[in-house]
Amino acid sequence: MAKRTIVAMPGDGIGKVVLDEAIRVLDAAGFDAEYVTGDIGWEFWCKEGNPLPDRTIELLKKHKIALFGAITSKPKDKAAAELAPELQGKGFTYYSPIVSMRQMFDLDICQRPCRTFKGNPLNFIRRGKGNTIDEPVIDTMIFRQNTEGLYGGVEWTNPPDVVYDALMTHPKFKENFAWCPRPELAVSTRIFTKKYTTRIVKAAFEYAKEKGFKTVTVCEKPNVIRETSGMMLKVAQEMSKNEYPDIRVQDVNIDAQMMWLTKNPETYNVIVAGNMFGDIVSDGFAGLVGGLGFACSANIGPEVAVFEPTHGSAPKYAEYPTSIVNPIAMVMSACMMLDHIGEGAMAERIRKAIAEVVEEGKALAYDMMKLSGSPDVVNQGAASTRQMADAIIAKLN
Ligand code: NAI
Ligand code: MG
């Protein structure tokens, strides 16, 4: 195996802690790589007025594969106040480096797997027949369109004339919203393009085909949001008919899906959705299999791919002398990276080690013990971040 170069972007807060542990696990699994550090996050906003410096963009262009911890974002007024004094008043504006990265590198395919680990005390349970407890095995991959839709950033408060006039040409707008004074009108658009809708739907079908699943669920709301959700459903139905005759399309509205996920989550294996509904449904499913400590993701574009846990920087835990956060989400994101670069067997080995640690139940991060986070959890028997990673490494050896 040729030595790889991976861009390691720790970001802020616990991002660095979990990324370091994931790299230790990768090393222990025998992944032969060199890591170059990509600066990203709040620290670089404050020091340089740019949370995604050009040098990081260059590293991503050059090496193409990145592991990312998490960043801190703060509201507009805090962003302005925390900027270095010499940079203040010079026209710097804060923007989310994650959203920028996704748009800049066309990281349009977001994959968020939600799989049950046997023995995880955080697994979803329901009542079975009689008075039994039933613990469904969930194996769901969510394909979320990552660059368009409601998170596309095309929005206005007090829209300019051309936008307002265009809206007024729509009978529904004229009938229902023309009464509103313009300064009190906020508009966020939901733009879907056929090209990117097709790409995310195709990714879902390809995955279903590879894994032998017979259904792709489109989780949108085409009965109400007729143009955009309607486009995704239609693209999926045509793709099924023309390219994947053995894979059926199931149309489930996002609201109904949130109800079904606590009734029969095991029946959903492949879900595809737009940006916001994909975000919502993936958090919903993640809650059934362990929540933020277990939720991993991949952001994949035509050239560059970035792998990250879905949790944030958890600033309140960042300064603990002994870190308590669960590194599993980050380690599993690293496994998704291995899958992507053709090291699936190594990824499987790490996932198996995690499964053994969870099933054995000797090393439990505080979230798995359902404790609320505090430095004291280690005295209450919780494994630290490092101990969790050590337990995984021990199973690899
Ligand atoms: P968060 O995900 O950082 O933390 C929420 C809570 O979840 C924590 O207080 C902790 O109880 C728990 N948690 C998070 N990660 C965990 C882990 N690995 N193991 C165990 N428990 C864990 O979200 P929050 O507090 O809303 O945001 C904190 C900062 O992170 C904000 O500045 C926010 O903008 C940013 N953020 C960044 C994201 C990213 O970089 N992708 C995603 C979400 C939030
Ligand atoms: Mg989210």
Side-chain angles (χ1 to χ4, degrees):
M1 185 177 74
K3 198 177 183 100
R4 285 265 181 180
T5 302
I6 307 294
V7 182
M9 298 185 287
D12 303 299
I14 65 164
K16 179 170 167 38
V17 179
V18 292
L19 183 52
D20 283 350
E21 295 305 331
I23 290 174
R24 274 202 321 123
V25 173
L26 287 170
D27 285 345
F31 182 52
D32 188 19
E34 176 183 53
Y35 299 89
V36 291
T37 304
D39 296 335
I40 189 169
W42 196 251
E43 185 189 337
F44 300 96
W45 159 252
C46 296
K47 284 202 298 214
E48 303 175 23
N50 185 358
L52 182 61
D54 291 345
R55 57 186 180 276
T56 305
I57 295 167
E58 289 309 315
L59 286 177
L60 288 167
K61 278 187 190 156
K62 185 167 174 202
H63 301 296
K64 318 238 186 293
I65 302 291
L67 287 172
F68 170 42
I71 52 122
T72 297
S73 277
K74 297 186 192 178
K76 235 174 170 175
D77 51 336
K78 286 225 166 97
E82 291 186 29
L83 191 59
E86 66 274 17
L87 298 178
Q88 293 202 9
K90 296 212 168 129
F92 291 99
T93 30
Y94 181 79
Y95 55 87
S96 160
I98 304 177
V99 175
S100 308
M101 200 160 56
R102 285 177 188 159
Q103 292 185 330
M104 190 176 295
F105 292 105
D106 245 359
L107 305 178
D108 61 316
I109 309 236
C110 177
Q111 279 180 268
R112 294 187 167 183
C114 297
R115 292 197 189 98
T116 306
F117 281 112
K118 197 173 168 195
N120 186 349
L122 299 172
N123 284 345
F124 168 68
I125 51 172
R126 65 188 168 203
R127 205 168 287 289
K129 277 202 182 114
N131 220 10
T132 56
I133 294 291
D134 194 11
E135 190 175 322
V137 175
I138 296 158
D139 179 3
T140 306
M141 181 68 93
I142 288 130
F143 287 83
R144 164 194 177 191
Q145 206 296 327
N146 221 12
T147 47
E148 304 191 327
L150 261 174
Y151 296 175
V154 183
E155 48 183 6
W156 303 266
T157 294
N158 192 7
D161 287 350
V162 279
V163 175
Y164 191 81
D165 294 346
L167 290 169
M168 281 295 263
T169 65
H170 198 291
K172 290 252 185 244
F173 185 86
K174 209 164 170 184
E175 201 181 310
N176 298 317
F177 301 103
W179 62 267
C180 180
R182 268 170 65 179
E184 294 176 20
L185 187 70
V187 179
S188 300
T189 62
R190 187 177 205 260
I191 300 171
F192 278 36
T193 64
K194 181 107 183 251
K195 175 179 168 186
Y196 285 93
T197 302
T198 304
R199 275 176 55 83
I200 193 72
V201 171
K202 178 98 188 160
F205 272 95
E206 275 299 301
Y207 173 84
K209 184 177 158 188
E210 186 194 319
K211 302 284 174 188
F213 293 125
K214 295 291 171 216
T215 307
V216 167
T217 301
V218 176
C219 188
E220 279 284 322
K221 185 97 180 172
N223 56 336
V224 179
I225 318 175
R226 308 180 85 85
E227 303 303 328
T228 47
S229 294
M231 179 198 276
M232 183 170 279
L233 180 60
K234 190 157 176 250
V235 164
Q237 285 165 337
E238 280 172 7
M239 205 177 281
S240 161
K241 197 168 128 213
N242 300 329
E243 297 174 56
Y244 303 89
D246 297 338
I247 303 171
R248 174 178 89 87
V249 172
Q250 178 167 242
D251 168 20
V252 179
N253 288 338
I254 175 70
D255 47 348
Q257 182 72 72
M258 297 313 283
M259 181 268 295
W260 288 120
L261 68 80
T262 55
K263 293 218 165 221
N264 58 348
E266 69 273 41
T267 61
Y268 299 93
N269 299 113
V270 189
I271 290 179
V272 60
N275 207 338
M276 187 193 204
F277 294 163
D279 198 11
I280 292 172
V281 76
S282 59
D283 272 13
F285 269 87
L288 306 175
V289 297
L292 289 175
F294 285 83
C296 55
S297 77
N299 304 280
I300 299 171
E303 293 200 2
V304 173
V306 178
F307 302 85
E308 56 164 331
T310 66
H311 63 71
S313 61
K316 64 180 175 187
Y317 301 150
E319 303 302 328
Y320 283 18
T322 300
S323 174
I324 61 161
V325 294
N326 195 341
I328 289 179
M330 182 78 237
V331 175
M332 289 206 298
S333 303
C335 291
M336 294 186 84
M337 174 192 77
L338 292 176
D339 286 332
H340 182 74
I341 60 176
E343 295 291 345
M346 194 180 282
E348 245 348 277
R349 212 152 60 76
I350 298 174
R351 280 190 282 254
K352 188 164 163 276
I354 297 172
E356 284 171 23
V357 169
V358 174
E359 187 168 5
E360 201 173 79
K362 282 192 204 147
L364 293 167
Y366 83 95
D367 55 335
M368 298 165 76
M369 294 176 72
K370 300 175 187 161
L371 295 171
S372 69
S374 83
D376 192 51
V377 296
V378 282
N379 299 322
Q380 297 171 55
S384 67
T385 310
R386 172 145 285 222
Q387 285 169 333
M388 284 303 291
D390 282 341
I392 297 165
I393 290 168
K395 294 291 178 198
L396 282 170
N397 297 332

